[in-house]
């Protein structure tokens, strides 16, 4: 009985030891598979580094073929861990590249939009400048036409002034001539009075002198 009990205990211990080693092996495989599954199911990174993920999965499967006590197991476990790390790093790198490319595209789009806005602003400025130049030209043409009209009005005013001056000069000549004629007439009248007063020694104011003058005027009528 004691011998049978000892044999049974030894068998239980052996089975327990084998189960412990199998559990250790399962833990390594599960740990690496879980890490790789998290990477492949990640919505941001799962689509990247597909080849590296396949190599890591292959290394885990190769590790699972050996027991933990085998030298090959430690070797393939190291390889599997490194390939899982490489798969994660490569997925992160490709994701960063994709985001960088997206940022570059957005940057280019922003630059393109900025260039379009600059071109639109430059076009508006040119249009505004063109309108201002047109207004300046129209104002210059208006001022030029106004200057021509002023010049014509000035020439007309000068001509009218010259005409008025000539008329005034002619009127002055006529007035001077009339004054001269009046002076001559007055001198002739004085001369006649002097002659009449000295003719026959009779005074100029006697009736005999006045009667012939009246008769002469009546004969003239």
């Amino acid at each position: 009985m004691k011998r049978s009990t000892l044999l049974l205990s030894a068998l239980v211990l052996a089975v327990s030891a084998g189960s412990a080693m199998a559990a250790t092996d399962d833990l390594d495989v599960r740990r690496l598979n879980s890490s790789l599954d998290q990477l492949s199911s990640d919505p941001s990174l799962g689509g990247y580094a597909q080849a590296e993920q396949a190599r890591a999965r292959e290394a885990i499967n190769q590790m699972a073929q050996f027991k933990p006590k085998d030298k090959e197991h430690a070797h393939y476990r190291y390889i599997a861990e490194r390939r899982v790390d490489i798969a994660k790093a490569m997925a992160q790198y490709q994701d960063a590249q994709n985001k960088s490319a997206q940022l570059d595209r957005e940057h280019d789009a922003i630059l393109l939009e900025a260039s379009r806005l600059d071109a639109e602003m430059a076009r508006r400025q040119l249009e505004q400048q063109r309108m201002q130049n047109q207004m300046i030209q129209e104002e210059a043409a208006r001022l030029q036409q106004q200057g021509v009209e002023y010049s014509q009005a000035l020439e007309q005013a000068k001509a009218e002034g010259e005409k008025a001056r000539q008329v005034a000069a002619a009127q002055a000549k006529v007035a001077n001539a009339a004054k001269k004629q009046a002076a001559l007439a007055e001198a002739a009248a004085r001369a006649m009075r002097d002659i009449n007063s000295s003719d026959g020694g009779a005074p100029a104011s006697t009736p005999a002198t006045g009667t012939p003058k009246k008769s002469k005027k009546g004969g003239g009528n």
Side-chain angles (χ1 to χ4, degrees):
M1 290 293 295
K2 289 182 179 181
R3 186 175 179 181
S4 299
T5 303
L6 291 173
L7 289 173
L8 183 59
S9 298
L11 182 60
V12 170
L13 289 173
V15 172
S16 299
S19 298
M21 287 188 294
T24 301
D25 182 51
D26 289 343
L27 287 176
D28 290 333
V29 172
R30 288 177 183 176
R31 174 175 59 83
L32 293 174
N33 277 329
S34 176
S35 180
L36 198 58
D37 290 340
Q38 288 179 359
L39 174 62
S40 61
S41 61
D42 189 290
S44 300
L45 302 177
Y48 300 113
Q50 294 295 321
E52 286 75 11
Q53 291 187 47
R55 293 190 186 95
R57 190 80 66 184
E58 182 182 358
I60 293 172
N61 292 333
Q62 288 178 344
M63 182 192 70
Q65 295 176 5
F66 297 94
K67 296 179 180 180
K69 64 181 180 179
D70 296 336
K71 284 197 308 184
E72 290 83 354
H73 180 274
H75 173 71
Y76 282 109
R77 182 181 64 189
Y78 176 80
I79 293 175
E81 288 175 345
R82 299 292 76 75
R83 286 189 175 176
V84 170
D85 292 340
I86 290 172
K88 289 181 180 180
M90 183 58 68
Q92 292 172 352
Y93 173 72
Q94 291 179 359
D95 179 59
Q97 276 189 324
N98 185 50
K99 289 179 179 178
S100 177
Q102 179 65 25
L103 289 175
D104 288 340
R105 289 192 294 270
E106 292 177 357
H107 181 259
D108 292 341
I110 291 173
L111 291 179
L112 182 61
E113 180 65 14
S115 298
R116 188 188 68 80
L117 292 176
D118 289 342
E120 180 66 17
M121 184 178 296
R123 186 190 66 79
R124 290 181 180 179
Q125 289 177 350
L126 288 175
E127 181 65 18
Q128 184 177 5
Q129 186 65 35
R130 186 189 66 80
M131 292 179 64
Q132 289 178 351
N133 290 337
Q134 183 177 356
M135 291 175 62
I136 291 172
Q137 291 176 359
E138 292 176 354
E139 181 65 14
R142 187 186 68 81
L143 292 175
Q144 184 177 6
Q145 180 63 28
Q146 189 176 19
V148 171
E149 293 175 356
Y150 286 164
S151 178
Q152 291 175 351
L154 180 60
E155 291 297 327
Q156 184 177 358
K158 286 181 178 180
E160 291 178 353
E162 181 64 20
K163 184 177 180 181
R165 188 186 65 78
Q166 292 176 357
V167 170
Q171 290 177 347
K173 288 181 179 179
V174 171
N176 289 331
K179 287 180 179 180
K180 288 180 180 180
Q181 289 179 356
L184 290 174
E186 185 179 359
R190 277 199 306 269
M192 290 295 295
R193 284 195 301 269
D194 292 340
I195 293 172
N196 290 331
S197 61
S198 62
D199 187 10
S205 59
T206 60
T209 306
T211 302
K213 288 183 178 179
K214 184 176 182 182
S215 178
K216 288 181 179 179
K217 291 181 179 179
N221 291 334

